[in-house]
Amino acid sequence: MKYAPRLLLALALAAGIALALVYLPQEQLPEHLAAPQSEPGAALGDDPRRPIALVCRTDRRSAKAAALLAQRGFTQVQVVQGGMTAWLDQGWSV
């Protein structure tokens, strides 16, 4: 079943899942995504049990970020497989 991204985001937020974009400062985020200016990881909070979904252009950088978060004690980290590239390849709207 395919869900529109806004519905997925609403469901994630309702479930208390943090959605973290994993991009370098020099990378251009997709136009439709607002780029909040904050320290890396600042929005994740201090609760290492909070569910977190990481997304980047593919999924390689998100996987690295997930490993770093795991080293810091975060236990509920998921990587969006294929990242935004796979999302767009599926024809899902953003």
Side-chain angles (χ1 to χ4, degrees):
M1 177 178 287
K2 294 183 181 181
Y3 293 98
R6 290 178 190 194
L7 176 58
L8 284 177
L9 180 57
L11 291 171
L13 292 174
I17 299 171
L19 179 63
L21 303 176
V22 184
Y23 284 86
L24 296 174
Q26 66 268 24
E27 287 184 299
Q28 182 176 356
L29 286 172
E31 289 179 19
H32 52 278
L33 297 175
Q37 300 298 316
S38 64
E39 288 297 313
L44 300 179
D46 295 330
D47 184 0
R49 297 166 303 186
R50 181 178 184 190
I52 301 168
L54 301 172
V55 63
C56 64
R57 186 175 56 85
T58 59
D59 60 13
R60 291 182 296 207
R61 192 171 297 127
S62 293
K64 291 177 184 179
L68 288 172
L69 287 169
Q71 288 175 0
R72 294 182 179 169
F74 286 84
T75 59
Q76 302 294 318
V77 180
Q78 298 293 319
V79 172
V80 175
Q81 297 298 309
M84 289 304 298
T85 299
W87 187 280
L88 294 172
D89 287 348
Q90 289 294 319
W92 294 336
S93 62
V94 286

